[in-house]
Amino acid sequence: MASVLVSGCAGFIGSHLVELLLQRGHRVTGLDNFDPFYGRHRKEQNMAGFRQHPRFTFHEVDLRHGQDALVDALPAEPIEVVVHLAAKAGVGPSVQAPIDYLDNNVLGTTHLLEWMRQREIRKLFFASSSSVYGNTPARPFREDANLQAACISPYAASKLTGEQLTYTYHHLYGLDVLNARFFTVYGPRQRPDLAIHKFVRLLQAGQPIPVFGDGSTARDYTFVLDTVAGIAAGVEHLLTHTGVYETLNLGNNRPVTLLELIKAVGQAVGVEPELRFQPMQPGDVDVTYADITKAHQLLGYAPRTPLAEGLQAFVQWMGQQEGQ
């Protein structure tokens, strides 16, 4: 049993991860700042199943406020591994408010790393993003791709900078690090601004679906429990290995075009979609496609959830939310 700190514990991925870590017997300290990007009540609902768990402790902390905020909130709690999920998310919004993304994702990460250095906590799982690949032509995306000119949104740039910061702290201070690039995670508790969430709401309301571009853009959709299983495996790897610095893709290794996705969502909802084609959005990439060979070799990572099954789980969860 280990002591794990999860930043962003009230979010979509974070709340699922906390549940799994508690199921596996770990002690979990959760941090969240309840960023107003979407309603606090949704995040409170995400935590409802474990907020009172005897091995879970929660602190409302904003990492932008510096490492002193962490020192005040966590004066003596023993932490063996940090899973850093907290971030300002979203490619499109980052184009409109880049400073907010650099403030949260770069400065906030730096504050967390400094606190870890001062506390001599030497194990970090850092949540990066497939956005760092941009429109890299070589596919599937491999972790050793040259990303010098790849980022095409402030969000992507903030995540790649986070990876560079973790390497700096690994090199200078001996921090063990796994950087994980997530690929379009979906499932119950998904953020309301994301495509699948929007599509289900529109279909259920009898409204048309906006299609940005010609519908041929593709994403490597990964069910949240598959992603979370990869994170938990990463935590175990960090606990049992030293001298670690690795960057991994946590995707599904199967791109799905936008038109294919809309058709699958329509089948899950039981509604034939009506499409409205619109121009591409700034910052959007053409394709995301994960090579997951390295994650499989290092962590045994193997996503198992077919898209149709994952969408059914999401639609069922949406129905439960409407009944509350």
mmCIF file of all heavy atoms in Angstrom, residues 143 230 233 237 247-251 253 291-304:
data_model
loop_
_atom_site.group_PDB
_atom_site.id
_atom_site.type_symbol
_atom_site.label_atom_id
_atom_site.label_comp_id
_atom_site.label_asym_id
_atom_site.label_seq_id
_atom_site.Cartn_x
_atom_site.Cartn_y
_atom_site.Cartn_z
ATOM 1 N N GLU A 143 6.763 7.973 -29.545
ATOM 2 C CA GLU A 143 7.243 8.885 -28.514
ATOM 3 C C GLU A 143 8.556 9.567 -28.886
ATOM 4 O O GLU A 143 8.871 10.635 -28.336
ATOM 5 C CB GLU A 143 7.417 8.124 -27.190
ATOM 6 C CG GLU A 143 6.128 7.587 -26.597
ATOM 7 C CD GLU A 143 5.758 6.194 -27.101
ATOM 8 O OE1 GLU A 143 6.355 5.728 -28.105
ATOM 9 O OE2 GLU A 143 4.868 5.579 -26.496
ATOM 10 N N GLY A 230 -3.874 2.284 -17.309
ATOM 11 C CA GLY A 230 -2.502 2.612 -17.681
ATOM 12 C C GLY A 230 -1.821 3.493 -16.646
ATOM 13 O O GLY A 230 -0.642 3.302 -16.327
ATOM 14 N N ALA A 233 -0.967 1.386 -13.625
ATOM 15 C CA ALA A 233 0.208 0.567 -13.919
ATOM 16 C C ALA A 233 1.473 1.413 -13.861
ATOM 17 O O ALA A 233 2.535 0.942 -13.415
ATOM 18 C CB ALA A 233 0.066 -0.085 -15.292
ATOM 19 N N HIS A 237 4.799 0.944 -11.534
ATOM 20 C CA HIS A 237 6.146 0.934 -12.116
ATOM 21 C C HIS A 237 7.058 1.900 -11.369
ATOM 22 O O HIS A 237 8.217 1.560 -11.061
ATOM 23 C CB HIS A 237 6.066 1.314 -13.595
ATOM 24 C CG HIS A 237 7.371 1.226 -14.310
ATOM 25 N ND1 HIS A 237 7.872 0.041 -14.811
ATOM 26 C CD2 HIS A 237 8.313 2.177 -14.598
ATOM 27 C CE1 HIS A 237 9.049 0.260 -15.380
ATOM 28 N NE2 HIS A 237 9.335 1.545 -15.270
ATOM 29 N N THR A 247 8.697 8.509 -21.599
ATOM 30 C CA THR A 247 7.500 9.141 -22.156
ATOM 31 C C THR A 247 6.723 8.085 -22.925
ATOM 32 O O THR A 247 7.295 7.357 -23.747
ATOM 33 C CB THR A 247 7.882 10.301 -23.084
ATOM 34 O OG1 THR A 247 8.588 11.286 -22.323
ATOM 35 C CG2 THR A 247 6.647 10.934 -23.701
ATOM 36 N N LEU A 248 5.421 7.984 -22.640
ATOM 37 C CA LEU A 248 4.589 6.907 -23.167
ATOM 38 C C LEU A 248 3.317 7.452 -23.791
ATOM 39 O O LEU A 248 2.774 8.463 -23.333
ATOM 40 C CB LEU A 248 4.182 5.944 -22.039
ATOM 41 C CG LEU A 248 5.287 5.346 -21.179
ATOM 42 C CD1 LEU A 248 4.676 4.643 -19.978
ATOM 43 C CD2 LEU A 248 6.122 4.366 -21.996
ATOM 44 N N ASN A 249 2.822 6.765 -24.801
ATOM 45 C CA ASN A 249 1.485 7.029 -25.340
ATOM 46 C C ASN A 249 0.473 6.137 -24.638
ATOM 47 O O ASN A 249 0.652 4.914 -24.582
ATOM 48 C CB ASN A 249 1.437 6.719 -26.836
ATOM 49 C CG ASN A 249 2.251 7.680 -27.673
ATOM 50 O OD1 ASN A 249 2.396 8.847 -27.329
ATOM 51 N ND2 ASN A 249 2.769 7.194 -28.791
ATOM 52 N N LEU A 250 -0.596 6.728 -24.116
ATOM 53 C CA LEU A 250 -1.733 5.959 -23.603
ATOM 54 C C LEU A 250 -2.924 6.251 -24.515
ATOM 55 O O LEU A 250 -3.713 7.164 -24.265
ATOM 56 C CB LEU A 250 -2.049 6.328 -22.146
ATOM 57 C CG LEU A 250 -1.010 5.935 -21.105
ATOM 58 C CD1 LEU A 250 -1.534 6.215 -19.695
ATOM 59 C CD2 LEU A 250 -0.591 4.476 -21.218
ATOM 60 N N GLY A 251 -2.990 5.514 -25.607
ATOM 61 C CA GLY A 251 -4.070 5.665 -26.575
ATOM 62 C C GLY A 251 -4.716 4.330 -26.851
ATOM 63 O O GLY A 251 -4.582 3.375 -26.084
ATOM 64 N N ASN A 253 -4.689 3.099 -30.313
ATOM 65 C CA ASN A 253 -4.059 2.558 -31.511
ATOM 66 C C ASN A 253 -5.057 2.316 -32.641
ATOM 67 O O ASN A 253 -4.871 1.427 -33.464
ATOM 68 C CB ASN A 253 -3.305 1.260 -31.171
ATOM 69 C CG ASN A 253 -2.362 0.814 -32.261
ATOM 70 O OD1 ASN A 253 -2.403 -0.328 -32.703
ATOM 71 N ND2 ASN A 253 -1.505 1.715 -32.707
ATOM 72 N N ASP A 291 0.976 5.006 -31.267
ATOM 73 C CA ASP A 291 1.744 3.769 -31.206
ATOM 74 C C ASP A 291 1.885 3.435 -29.717
ATOM 75 O O ASP A 291 2.513 4.187 -28.967
ATOM 76 C CB ASP A 291 3.114 3.969 -31.843
ATOM 77 C CG ASP A 291 3.942 2.689 -31.894
ATOM 78 O OD1 ASP A 291 3.833 1.871 -30.956
ATOM 79 O OD2 ASP A 291 4.711 2.510 -32.854
ATOM 80 N N ILE A 292 1.286 2.347 -29.270
ATOM 81 C CA ILE A 292 1.283 2.019 -27.844
ATOM 82 C C ILE A 292 2.227 0.866 -27.514
ATOM 83 O O ILE A 292 2.145 0.270 -26.438
ATOM 84 C CB ILE A 292 -0.147 1.706 -27.348
ATOM 85 C CG1 ILE A 292 -0.764 0.543 -28.123
ATOM 86 C CG2 ILE A 292 -1.017 2.955 -27.439
ATOM 87 C CD1 ILE A 292 -2.127 0.110 -27.579
ATOM 88 N N THR A 293 3.149 0.569 -28.428
ATOM 89 C CA THR A 293 4.087 -0.530 -28.216
ATOM 90 C C THR A 293 4.885 -0.344 -26.933
ATOM 91 O O THR A 293 5.040 -1.276 -26.124
ATOM 92 C CB THR A 293 5.051 -0.640 -29.407
ATOM 93 O OG1 THR A 293 4.305 -0.782 -30.609
ATOM 94 C CG2 THR A 293 5.995 -1.819 -29.238
ATOM 95 N N LYS A 294 5.403 0.849 -26.734
ATOM 96 C CA LYS A 294 6.249 1.108 -25.575
ATOM 97 C C LYS A 294 5.472 0.962 -24.268
ATOM 98 O O LYS A 294 5.955 0.357 -23.299
ATOM 99 C CB LYS A 294 6.862 2.502 -25.677
ATOM 100 C CG LYS A 294 7.899 2.814 -24.623
ATOM 101 C CD LYS A 294 8.509 4.192 -24.889
ATOM 102 C CE LYS A 294 9.531 4.556 -23.837
ATOM 103 N NZ LYS A 294 10.108 5.906 -24.076
ATOM 104 N N ALA A 295 4.251 1.502 -24.219
ATOM 105 C CA ALA A 295 3.434 1.391 -23.011
ATOM 106 C C ALA A 295 3.089 -0.068 -22.718
ATOM 107 O O ALA A 295 3.037 -0.491 -21.552
ATOM 108 C CB ALA A 295 2.159 2.216 -23.155
ATOM 109 N N HIS A 296 2.859 -0.838 -23.765
ATOM 110 C CA HIS A 296 2.561 -2.261 -23.566
ATOM 111 C C HIS A 296 3.783 -2.989 -23.013
ATOM 112 O O HIS A 296 3.673 -3.798 -22.082
ATOM 113 C CB HIS A 296 2.119 -2.899 -24.884
ATOM 114 C CG HIS A 296 1.832 -4.362 -24.769
ATOM 115 N ND1 HIS A 296 0.728 -4.858 -24.099
ATOM 116 C CD2 HIS A 296 2.516 -5.453 -25.225
ATOM 117 C CE1 HIS A 296 0.736 -6.175 -24.154
ATOM 118 N NE2 HIS A 296 1.820 -6.565 -24.819
ATOM 119 N N GLN A 297 4.941 -2.700 -23.559
ATOM 120 C CA GLN A 297 6.157 -3.377 -23.114
ATOM 121 C C GLN A 297 6.525 -2.994 -21.692
ATOM 122 O O GLN A 297 6.939 -3.849 -20.895
ATOM 123 C CB GLN A 297 7.309 -3.039 -24.068
ATOM 124 C CG GLN A 297 7.160 -3.640 -25.462
ATOM 125 C CD GLN A 297 8.221 -3.163 -26.434
ATOM 126 O OE1 GLN A 297 8.897 -2.152 -26.192
ATOM 127 N NE2 GLN A 297 8.370 -3.862 -27.551
ATOM 128 N N LEU A 298 6.379 -1.722 -21.350
ATOM 129 C CA LEU A 298 6.814 -1.246 -20.039
ATOM 130 C C LEU A 298 5.784 -1.496 -18.940
ATOM 131 O O LEU A 298 6.146 -1.850 -17.811
ATOM 132 C CB LEU A 298 7.122 0.248 -20.119
ATOM 133 C CG LEU A 298 7.978 0.833 -18.998
ATOM 134 C CD1 LEU A 298 9.398 0.315 -19.094
ATOM 135 C CD2 LEU A 298 7.977 2.358 -19.070
ATOM 136 N N LEU A 299 4.503 -1.322 -19.272
ATOM 137 C CA LEU A 299 3.446 -1.365 -18.254
ATOM 138 C C LEU A 299 2.440 -2.492 -18.447
ATOM 139 O O LEU A 299 1.559 -2.671 -17.597
ATOM 140 C CB LEU A 299 2.680 -0.037 -18.240
ATOM 141 C CG LEU A 299 3.482 1.250 -18.083
ATOM 142 C CD1 LEU A 299 2.560 2.449 -18.103
ATOM 143 C CD2 LEU A 299 4.313 1.229 -16.806
ATOM 144 N N GLY A 300 2.526 -3.215 -19.563
ATOM 145 C CA GLY A 300 1.477 -4.186 -19.875
ATOM 146 C C GLY A 300 0.192 -3.520 -20.310
ATOM 147 O O GLY A 300 -0.881 -4.136 -20.277
ATOM 148 N N TYR A 301 0.279 -2.276 -20.760
ATOM 149 C CA TYR A 301 -0.899 -1.507 -21.145
ATOM 150 C C TYR A 301 -1.560 -2.119 -22.376
ATOM 151 O O TYR A 301 -0.901 -2.356 -23.398
ATOM 152 C CB TYR A 301 -0.485 -0.064 -21.434
ATOM 153 C CG TYR A 301 -1.584 0.810 -21.996
ATOM 154 C CD1 TYR A 301 -2.625 1.254 -21.191
ATOM 155 C CD2 TYR A 301 -1.565 1.208 -23.330
ATOM 156 C CE1 TYR A 301 -3.623 2.075 -21.702
ATOM 157 C CE2 TYR A 301 -2.546 2.030 -23.843
ATOM 158 C CZ TYR A 301 -3.572 2.458 -23.028
ATOM 159 O OH TYR A 301 -4.564 3.257 -23.536
ATOM 160 N N ALA A 302 -2.866 -2.367 -22.278
ATOM 161 C CA ALA A 302 -3.594 -2.980 -23.387
ATOM 162 C C ALA A 302 -5.057 -2.573 -23.306
ATOM 163 O O ALA A 302 -5.855 -3.219 -22.608
ATOM 164 C CB ALA A 302 -3.476 -4.504 -23.345
ATOM 165 N N PRO A 303 -5.459 -1.472 -23.986
ATOM 166 C CA PRO A 303 -6.860 -1.037 -23.942
ATOM 167 C C PRO A 303 -7.789 -2.116 -24.479
ATOM 168 O O PRO A 303 -7.480 -2.771 -25.469
ATOM 169 C CB PRO A 303 -6.872 0.215 -24.817
ATOM 170 C CG PRO A 303 -5.656 0.104 -25.674
ATOM 171 C CD PRO A 303 -4.640 -0.642 -24.873
ATOM 172 N N ARG A 304 -8.939 -2.288 -23.825
ATOM 173 C CA ARG A 304 -9.822 -3.413 -24.143
ATOM 174 C C ARG A 304 -11.240 -3.000 -24.532
ATOM 175 O O ARG A 304 -12.033 -3.849 -24.927
ATOM 176 C CB ARG A 304 -9.909 -4.355 -22.940
ATOM 177 C CG ARG A 304 -8.593 -5.036 -22.590
ATOM 178 C CD ARG A 304 -8.729 -5.949 -21.383
ATOM 179 N NE ARG A 304 -7.536 -6.757 -21.187
ATOM 180 C CZ ARG A 304 -6.454 -6.363 -20.544
ATOM 181 N NH1 ARG A 304 -6.424 -5.151 -20.016
ATOM 182 N NH2 ARG A 304 -5.403 -7.149 -20.408
#
